[in-house]
Amino acid sequence: MRIGDEQVATTTDSQTPTLSYATSQVGEQPLTITAEITVTTVSNGSPPNPITQTVTVSDTRTVQVYELSPHAYTTRYPDGTHGLAVHQPQPWHGFTLTADGTHRVRGVWRYYTARDPRWDRLAVSRASGTATRVSSVRPLSVGAFPAQIGPRAVPVRDGPTLTAVWGVTNPTPAARLPSNISVGVVTSEYTRSYGLAIRDETLHPETVQIRGVVRGVSAPLTAVTPAERPIRKPNLSVRLTDTTGSEATIRVTLRDPQTGAPIRLAESRPATPIADDGPAGTLQINGEPIRLGPNGTATRTIAEPGLYSVRFEPASWRTTSPAYVAASDSVRWHPLGTVAGWLQLLETVIWGAVPIAVAWIAGRQLGHLIAGESPP
């Protein structure tokens, strides 16, 4: 057997050989299988007269050499749970977390086995002519398809939590499957699961195995050298400044808890295969976005009394380093919560009461005049 110009396997004395091989070739290559069939016949006469004939047959197909070259990232959340993200450029099956495979994560791919109907009948050639007969050998092949059930983590209840699936969006391949194949293929657009991320209470890197879609192709996580991403709880503070009787200013500060450096929502991300995994971080006051300045602060002037809640939603830990968890804080403002507010209220009451007092005095005087009484 040859892949490209490389001889990768050979065997003898077998009508149904099993070829184990390894190759240094990559990408699209011609795969050539060559079989040399030797038949020896011996006559029943005396002395025997053996006759040996040899026929060499060969077939070449274009194949894509499958490579498992994953990138892995790990983190530890502030609550002690672990995060693991794996990205593989070519389609892959998923990964197992335990040595016995009880805890595992599967991508979108499922598999079916089918025969090639071209092998149902064989052509038999003799000197007298060619005939066909039913074949006693019907080779099977395995096909992968995107399943409706989609990516899954097992066990469902007490196993790992699947937190993200990312990849390229493709149309359904349902129309391209043979008519005699009935499987649970997706019927609409689907995401090819190039990347999978989980969150789990425990993670033992020495037992994690990353598995490809080709049987027997796997790689231990320890051989991938996963990159550790720190994840922290940010310092988010909200306070009132420049309060008056009619308005106030909310000042929001967002900083790293270890370095004190400002957290910039739109800062450049590390160059990784998963750099586009998910949106950038956001900061909002009562659902409305605000923009942080270079020093990690933002201000908003308010005039309506009430509760103002600030929410920080970070970008994925898989795309930033260091990464952060979500945080929130709130502040309440009312004009009567300040001395200036009370003074303004008093001024408003006074100015509002003057016209009422003038009208009341004028009305009283007018009533006395009408009644013929002298004014008091």
Side-chain angles (χ1 to χ4, degrees):
M1 183 173 71
R2 301 181 67 87
I3 299 179
D5 57 358
E6 180 184 11
Q7 182 80 30
V8 295
T10 184
T11 187
T12 59
D13 302 328
S14 175
Q15 294 182 349
T16 56
T18 300
L19 302 176
S20 300
Y21 66 93
T23 180
S24 60
Q25 303 294 327
V26 296
E28 190 176 89
Q29 296 289 339
L31 169 66
T32 302
I33 303 292
T34 302
E36 188 177 84
I37 305 170
T38 300
V39 178
T40 300
T41 59
V42 180
S43 65
N44 293 327
S46 180
N49 185 22
I51 300 176
T52 300
Q53 289 185 328
T54 300
V55 176
T56 300
V57 294
S58 181
D59 192 13
T60 299
R61 304 287 178 89
T62 299
V63 298
Q64 184 77 25
V65 179
Y66 183 75
E67 293 182 279
L68 191 62
S69 55
H71 305 269
Y73 305 86
T74 59
T75 193
R76 187 179 181 90
Y77 291 90
D79 64 357
T81 57
H82 298 265
L84 171 64
V86 179
H87 176 273
Q88 157 66 21
Q90 290 188 350
W92 60 300
H93 177 78
F95 51 85
T96 56
L97 299 173
T98 55
D100 58 4
T102 55
H103 289 62
R104 62 187 184 274
V105 179
R106 301 181 64 174
V108 72
W109 302 108
R110 301 297 186 271
Y111 312 93
Y112 67 87
T113 303
R115 78 181 196 281
D116 187 341
R118 292 175 299 179
W119 282 82
D120 289 354
R121 302 185 67 83
L122 297 179
V124 180
S125 297
R126 295 185 174 90
S128 58
T130 300
T132 60
R133 63 181 177 87
V134 176
S135 173
S136 60
V137 179
R138 298 185 179 182
L140 300 178
S141 61
V142 179
F145 67 95
Q148 291 180 358
I149 192 173
R152 285 290 185 272
V154 179
V156 175
R157 294 186 178 179
D158 57 351
T161 300
L162 186 62
T163 58
V165 178
W166 68 94
V168 179
T169 301
N170 290 80
T172 173
R176 299 197 301 271
L177 290 180
S179 59
N180 60 329
I181 302 297
S182 178
V183 292
V185 64
V186 295
T187 56
S188 58
E189 287 188 344
Y190 71 98
T191 299
R192 302 184 71 173
S193 50
Y194 289 125
L196 297 170
I198 63 161
R199 185 169 181 171
D200 199 16
E201 293 183 359
T202 59
L203 180 66
H204 303 287
E206 64 276 7
T207 62
V208 177
Q209 286 280 338
I210 302 170
R211 303 188 180 279
V213 293
V214 176
R215 181 185 296 274
V217 178
S218 64
L221 181 64
T222 52
V224 179
T225 312
E228 178 72 20
R229 293 278 175 82
I231 187 168
R232 305 166 185 169
K233 183 178 181 180
N235 286 339
L236 174 64
S237 64
V238 183
R239 63 188 181 92
L240 294 173
T241 63
D242 302 330
T243 58
T244 67
S246 59
E247 63 182 22
T249 299
I250 295 179
R251 184 181 181 89
V252 180
T253 303
L254 185 64
R255 297 185 181 276
D256 185 278
Q258 294 186 10
T259 65
I263 297 177
R264 296 182 175 87
L265 304 180
E267 66 183 6
S268 60
R269 300 182 177 186
T272 69
I274 57 175
D276 294 327
D277 174 28
T282 60
L283 188 66
Q284 296 180 334
I285 294 182
N286 287 359
E288 297 182 0
I290 57 175
R291 185 182 298 275
L292 286 172
N295 59 350
T297 63
T299 58
R300 173 70 61 84
T301 300
I302 58 175
E304 294 294 331
L307 179 67
Y308 291 84
S309 298
V310 178
R311 177 74 178 177
F312 167 59
E313 288 291 346
S316 167
W317 66 266
R318 301 175 296 275
T319 62
T320 56
S321 184
Y324 303 94
V325 295
S328 62
D329 198 3
S330 61
V331 66
R332 187 182 296 275
W333 176 77
H334 195 282
L336 297 183
T338 63
V339 175
W342 281 104
L343 292 176
Q344 184 176 13
L345 177 62
L346 180 59
E347 182 182 358
T348 302
V349 170
I350 292 174
W351 282 105
V354 167
I356 297 175
V358 171
W360 180 79
I361 294 173
R364 187 177 180 184
Q365 294 292 337
L366 182 60
H368 285 296
L369 291 175
I370 295 174
E373 301 176 358
S374 57

